[in-house]
Amino acid sequence: MKPRHHLLLTLALTGGALSVSAQTMKPGLWEIKSNMSTGSGELEKAMAMAQKEMAKMPADQRKMMEDLMAKQGIGMSVGSGTPTLKVCMTKEMIERNDLTAQQGDCQHTVLPRTGNTMKFSFVCSNPPSSGEGQATFESPEAYTVKMNIKTQAKGKTETMIMDARGKFLTSECGNVKPIAAPQK
């Protein structure tokens, strides 16, 4: 997978996951499954290629990649189905209501919750991107996110639509470490 697509995928998946932080969420290990589509189909091609490459890897190399991602705070399973992330959410992360997984130089806005819904937006200068979305909290152990993201790819504006579902797995994060807050 090209580094740019990897960064955008990580931004979309984990940004969506952590943008829903709210006081009612349980701290611990969360699983986030997402479906994404782009106007150009480039991201979908990159994901399909990454899935094929991961499937071809010997088990020890695949484990090494998974361990490397876990050290960055992301557990990712890329197979034949929906991309799945595992993210460790600490009590402090939830209380900060931060988009701590966003990489690069990003500004974000989270609007106050209305009932079980919260809207948010972000603008990043590196990589150049922006987006907005809505999180719907089903319970302290489940939520859904819908996001629209715009970015520049090969000098053209690319639009990505993401639907994600987060569910609480356990209060213990195992080998998935919390994502460090960005440097201010």
Side-chain angles (χ1 to χ4, degrees):
M1 185 181 311
K2 295 178 184 174
R4 178 172 183 72
H5 284 123
H6 174 71
L7 182 60
L8 289 174
L9 175 63
T10 303
L11 171 70
L13 290 174
T14 58
L18 296 180
S19 65
V20 299
S21 298
Q23 291 75 8
T24 60
M25 289 178 64
K26 285 186 169 183
L29 188 62
W30 283 76
E31 176 182 79
I32 299 96
K33 292 186 177 191
S34 60
N35 293 306
M36 292 174 285
S37 62
T38 60
S40 70
E42 290 295 317
L43 180 65
E44 294 90 328
K45 289 176 194 172
M47 280 299 299
M49 184 186 308
Q51 290 175 354
K52 286 179 185 176
E53 292 301 316
M54 286 285 280
K56 290 183 201 175
M57 282 184 182
D60 60 328
Q61 284 184 337
R62 194 170 31 250
K63 171 98 170 90
M64 187 170 67
M65 290 278 292
E66 290 168 355
D67 290 347
L68 179 64
M69 291 186 77
K71 287 180 185 174
Q72 296 176 29
I74 302 167
M76 185 170 182
S77 169
V78 180
S80 60
T82 303
T84 302
L85 286 170
K86 290 187 179 171
V87 178
C88 183
M89 300 280 292
T90 66
K91 179 181 175 194
E92 292 76 22
M93 290 166 71
I94 292 168
E95 288 171 353
R96 274 197 316 262
N97 204 23
D98 259 346
L99 294 169
T100 56
Q102 284 188 356
Q103 311 224 345
D105 185 16
C106 300
Q107 300 287 326
H108 65 274
T109 303
V110 178
L111 299 176
R113 273 175 72 163
T114 304
N116 68 338
T117 303
M118 181 173 65
K119 294 183 179 184
F120 56 91
S121 62
F122 67 90
V123 176
C124 301
S125 61
N126 185 22
S129 56
S130 63
E132 59 185 20
Q134 177 174 303
T136 303
F137 302 96
E138 297 169 357
S139 74
E141 296 183 355
Y143 64 85
T144 59
V145 173
K146 294 189 181 297
M147 285 178 68
N148 292 312
I149 302 165
K150 290 188 180 184
T151 188
Q152 294 293 313
K154 299 179 185 176
K156 296 180 181 176
T157 300
E158 175 77 274
T159 301
M160 181 184 335
I161 298 170
M162 183 192 76
D163 290 310
R165 173 171 286 286
K167 79 173 183 178
F168 177 79
L169 297 176
T170 178
S171 59
E172 298 298 322
C173 291
N175 68 341
V176 179
K177 304 296 177 213
I179 297 172
Q183 300 294 323
K184 299 284 181 187

